Amino acid sequence: MPRLWDVPVRDSTRVRDARVAAEDAAVLAGLDERRTAAAALVATELATNLLKHAEGGQVLIDVVAPPVLREGREESRVVQIAAIDHGPGIADVPAALRDGFSTTRSLGAGLGTCLRLADDFGLNSTRGRGTVAVARVGATPRGDGTPARPAVRVWADGVSGSWGDMPGPDTPGGTVPGWSGGGPGDGGVLTREEPPGPSDDSPSPVAGVRAGGVNIPYAGAECSGDAWAWVRAGERVTLMLADGLGHGPDAARASSAAVVALHRWAHLSPADALGRLHDTLKGTRGAAVAVAQLDLRAGRLRFAGIGNVGARLRTDGTWRHLLSRPGIVGVHRPGTLREEEADWADDRLLILHTDGLPSRWTPPSDAGLPAADPAVTAAVTIRDASSPARPVRDDTAVAVLTPTPPERP
């Protein structure tokens, strides 16, 4: 069963726990010593920020699939470190991302360090509601010993003007090299465009789509009964979210079995995949499962689900429910299973969620949503549906499918 780390950061002793958890996750992901140290430092900085600026929060560490699948090879897993708080938010996001910036008379390493060390870094900060930061650290993909070029997506409110005109870290009054966007027309999204790195022979990323998710085990358990995965077969990209019945190890075995099976049947339609999953999960507790499949060539999304995994699709700025049929995969399958279909375009966004979220949660509506890192969107969904006084009430997982921004590969 996959190991998860949910570290509540309420005092300085938990910063070490976050660092150790990141090191343990790096071992599972097969990272070398250098990248393990990077993951540990990112976790330390994010946990420290929670104490300094938000009076605490939680650090979630998981080993996940990368946000972009590459054709022609099996992807390695990466360490994902997410920090969620319900604090005041960040008043000046561009400044906070620069090395040396501090509002607490510290060294000011913080978010700038995370940005430099992570392969992907995403952030959302909403004043009065809190901040979400997500960093991923993977193995070094090139032979020259340098980490991957970071893909940085920042989504914040209260932004005016161009962040490319903000003062830079080394030249007061200058600009931040490589940063653009962030004005009102950009939906508050700041993009870092790195110069091309050394060329390699690795396959091209799957065009047009990214996926990410956040999984929180109930009551700080080491495993979750929820699981998400995504796979590719030809021009079909499939995202699945499974919720094992109940919670704990038995629920985790059911959802983990669904993930393993999905990789075998990536070529099947959502309805056919659910039929195979039903046979696979017999003898387990069973699970609620939702499967969404995007045909990249046709630009069509197909969806089918059994049980109470929710699905919402954002189209032209509005949200619609995608409906699942009653039942439990592995225990009771409906006699017929209808697939829903919808067009996919650059403004579309799909959120799958388990019943750990309140039944009447409200999807985020910010203009920068489609361009945000999908794992950040998942974490924001959880943040805004909960609070310190009202934490998640079960294993809770959210998985998100988004378009690839035009400036990204």
Side-chain angles (χ1 to χ4, degrees):
M1 293 175 293
R3 175 75 162 88
L4 297 171
W5 294 264
D6 178 5
V7 183
V9 181
R10 302 298 177 194
D11 58 68
S12 59
T13 64
R14 302 314 299 271
V15 174
R16 177 187 177 277
D17 294 339
R19 174 180 61 79
V20 172
E23 292 171 342
D24 291 344
V27 172
L28 291 182
L31 303 192
D32 62 20
E33 183 177 353
R34 183 171 179 269
R35 300 305 286 157
T36 296
L41 185 52
V42 168
T44 299
E45 294 296 344
L46 291 180
T48 300
N49 278 349
L50 292 178
L51 290 176
K52 288 181 178 178
H53 306 295
E55 297 184 355
Q58 67 186 132
V59 174
L60 303 168
I61 300 176
D62 196 358
V63 178
V64 302
V68 177
L69 294 181
R70 297 181 183 273
E71 184 178 1
R73 73 179 185 194
E74 183 178 350
E75 290 288 348
S76 59
R77 310 279 282 177
V78 300
V79 176
Q80 177 174 287
I81 305 163
I84 303 176
D85 70 63
H86 294 86
I90 300 173
D92 190 341
V93 172
L97 286 169
R98 295 197 292 264
D99 277 345
F101 177 81
S102 174
T103 60
T104 58
R105 297 185 180 180
S106 66
L107 293 177
L111 295 180
T113 295
C114 298
L115 188 153
R116 284 188 292 102
L117 293 178
D119 300 319
D120 299 284
F121 183 80
L123 183 142
N124 167 272
S125 190
T126 305
R127 295 178 193 176
R129 188 174 295 173
T131 299
V132 163
V134 175
R136 299 184 194 90
V137 179
T140 301
R142 290 192 286 267
D144 60 1
T146 60
R149 290 183 290 126
V152 183
R153 308 297 305 178
V154 177
W155 158 34
D157 65 352
V159 177
S160 60
S162 170
W163 286 356
D165 296 330
M166 297 297 292
D170 302 316
T171 55
T175 60
V176 180
W179 294 88
S180 63
D186 298 306
V189 174
L190 176 65
T191 305
R192 182 176 185 178
E193 300 179 5
E194 294 288 333
S199 61
D200 58 18
D201 296 327
S202 61
S204 307
V206 175
V209 66
R210 300 169 297 157
V214 172
N215 194 347
I216 304 180
Y218 178 64
E222 293 187 356
C223 61
S224 172
D226 298 346
W228 71 274
W230 75 310
V231 295
R232 184 195 185 217
E235 294 300 313
R236 293 182 178 184
V237 174
T238 304
L239 176 68
M240 183 196 73
L241 184 60
D243 180 357
L245 194 63
H247 57 267
D250 288 340
R253 290 187 186 96
S255 60
S256 297
V259 169
V260 172
L262 179 70
H263 285 82
R264 295 202 303 268
W265 299 318
H267 61 287
L268 298 180
S269 69
D272 290 341
L274 284 170
R276 298 291 184 92
L277 288 170
H278 178 75
D279 295 334
T280 299
L281 267 58
K282 289 179 179 178
T284 73
R285 282 189 175 184
V289 181
V291 180
Q293 186 174 89
L294 176 61
D295 187 320
L296 297 169
R297 182 173 299 168
R300 293 288 289 175
L301 182 75
R302 303 168 71 183
F303 173 85
I306 298 175
N308 59 349
V309 172
R312 298 200 193 182
L313 177 66
R314 186 178 189 266
T315 305
D316 299 325
T318 62
W319 293 91
R320 60 175 276 200
H321 288 268
L322 302 179
L323 300 180
S324 296
R325 294 290 304 274
I328 302 173
V329 178
V331 178
H332 173 68
R333 184 179 68 178
T336 58
L337 190 59
R338 182 176 64 89
E339 293 183 349
E340 291 194 59
E341 293 194 25
D343 289 330
W344 185 264
D346 289 343
D347 67 338
R348 304 299 193 258
L349 187 145
L350 176 70
I351 296 179
L352 305 180
H353 66 91
T354 61
D355 61 353
L357 289 187
S359 59
R360 296 186 178 182
W361 68 277
T362 302
S365 58
D366 305 58
L369 189 64
D373 185 293
V376 171
T377 300
V380 167
T381 299
I382 292 173
R383 180 197 69 189
D384 292 351
S386 62
S387 71
R390 187 188 59 189
V392 295
R393 56 196 175 98
D394 195 355
D395 296 325
T396 302
V398 177
V400 176
L401 189 71
T402 71
T404 300
E407 71 277 6
R408 288 286 313 282

